[in-house]
Amino acid sequence: MLSGTAVAGLVGLSGCLSGVLGSVTSLESTPAGVSQSALESTGYEAVGIEELVTERTVEAAGQSETFAVTSYLSQYEKQVGIEGLAETATATFAVLSTPKIELAGETLNPIGEMSSREVVDLIGENYDSIDGIEHDSDQEITILEQSVIQSRFVAEATFAGLPLDLDMYVTKAVERGDDFLVAVGVYPRQFRTIEAAATRELTESITPEAAAESTESESTDGDSGDNETADSDNESTENSSDGLDLTGRLQ
């Protein structure tokens, strides 16, 4: 879900593809991660690090420049075992790192300006299986020594034909050098007693760099705004279509 949201924000920038690599300014973030101690404490496991690549020409203050932007999504999950959903049901957590885009003194990466409500609404608008998203609560947490609000939303979902109530956590972006970081956690609400605390622990244990994990790559087509996915990603999505997939794409 979060990877699709990030791409949607970048595609919203004005302009068109340059198609001339020599004229493109390349910007690449560094993958962020979660501490190993927090993973062991909460029972989550690393799934992998997905590479998200977009290319876009932006305009500001009468200036125009084309950027090739490489972001990373570090993903973690935990089996929670819901009756009827067998092994497909998971609690999920992800950290997005995306570079700042600056032109004429303006920061143009919309992730840095989006509220948690805007992020979670993008998720809901593009997933037919998730409805009724409502704000539930806010809490102040610390990420990389920065105070930030983590918002909890409740939602209704359908997976494998069965109804499922969700808790969805989203943080406002925090800065890490030349990057923005955003954290998202989703789990079945019936496990709130345990997973609410686990999500907070994972969020507050975010590290500046992620441990080396397998990386999947995706490039987006700036003309259409559609997201094209490598064959291996498609196979992975098909195999887990009944589960909660943080790498789903906006259509």
Side-chain angles (χ1 to χ4, degrees):
M1 281 187 273
L2 189 56
S3 64
T5 300
V7 171
L10 292 171
V11 169
L13 299 174
S14 62
C16 59
L17 285 177
S18 160
V20 182
L21 293 179
S23 65
V24 174
T25 299
S26 295
L27 297 174
E28 182 174 1
S29 65
T30 300
V34 173
S35 72
Q36 186 60 38
S37 61
L39 294 177
E40 294 173 356
S41 173
T42 60
Y44 280 72
E45 296 182 353
V47 175
I49 301 173
E50 184 176 7
E51 182 182 82
L52 307 167
V53 182
T54 58
E55 185 179 334
R56 181 62 50 178
T57 299
V58 297
E59 298 180 359
Q63 298 184 35
S64 177
E65 188 169 352
T66 300
F67 294 89
V69 180
T70 301
S71 304
Y72 291 96
L73 187 73
S74 301
Q75 303 168 77
Y76 307 87
E77 68 178 24
K78 175 184 179 180
Q79 298 287 345
V80 293
I82 297 178
E83 184 178 357
L85 294 182
E87 295 301 315
T88 63
T90 59
T92 59
F93 185 80
V95 184
L96 173 74
S97 61
T98 185
K100 298 175 183 177
I101 302 176
E102 296 185 354
L103 181 62
E106 296 184 31
T107 300
L108 302 176
N109 189 327
I111 292 295
E113 300 299 327
M114 292 174 70
S115 67
S116 57
R117 179 79 233 191
E118 290 172 318
V119 173
V120 81
D121 281 346
L122 276 176
I123 294 171
E125 288 170 5
N126 290 277
Y127 284 83
D128 292 337
S129 61
I130 299 179
D131 298 299
I133 299 176
E134 296 182 2
H135 179 263
D136 183 59
S137 63
D138 292 321
Q139 61 179 340
E140 186 173 343
I141 63 172
T142 302
I143 301 176
L144 300 180
E145 300 183 347
Q146 299 175 57
S147 295
V148 64
I149 296 298
Q150 182 182 58
S151 298
R152 183 171 71 197
F153 298 84
V154 294
E156 300 170 354
T158 302
F159 292 100
L162 298 176
L164 186 65
D165 293 330
L166 301 178
D167 279 352
M168 306 173 67
Y169 286 79
V170 182
T171 67
K172 187 79 170 61
V174 298
E175 296 186 25
R176 181 203 54 187
D178 293 329
D179 298 337
F180 290 118
L181 303 182
V182 175
V184 170
V186 185
Y187 59 80
R189 194 182 312 159
Q190 69 190 77
F191 297 99
R192 178 182 289 180
T193 301
I194 296 175
E195 297 307 324
T199 298
R200 174 166 186 155
E201 182 175 351
L202 291 169
T203 306
E204 293 199 313
S205 74
I206 287 176
T207 57
E209 296 185 6
E213 302 288 347
S214 59
T215 302
E216 300 173 352
S217 179
E218 168 201 331
S219 295
T220 62
D221 185 337
D223 290 325
S224 64
D226 293 336
N227 301 326
E228 298 177 356
T229 311
D231 291 342
S232 61
D233 289 334
N234 288 333
E235 293 173 0
S236 174
T237 302
E238 291 171 0
N239 292 338
S240 62
S241 58
D242 290 336
L244 185 58
D245 181 16
L246 275 179
T247 63
R249 303 297 189 273
L250 298 182
Q251 301 298 318

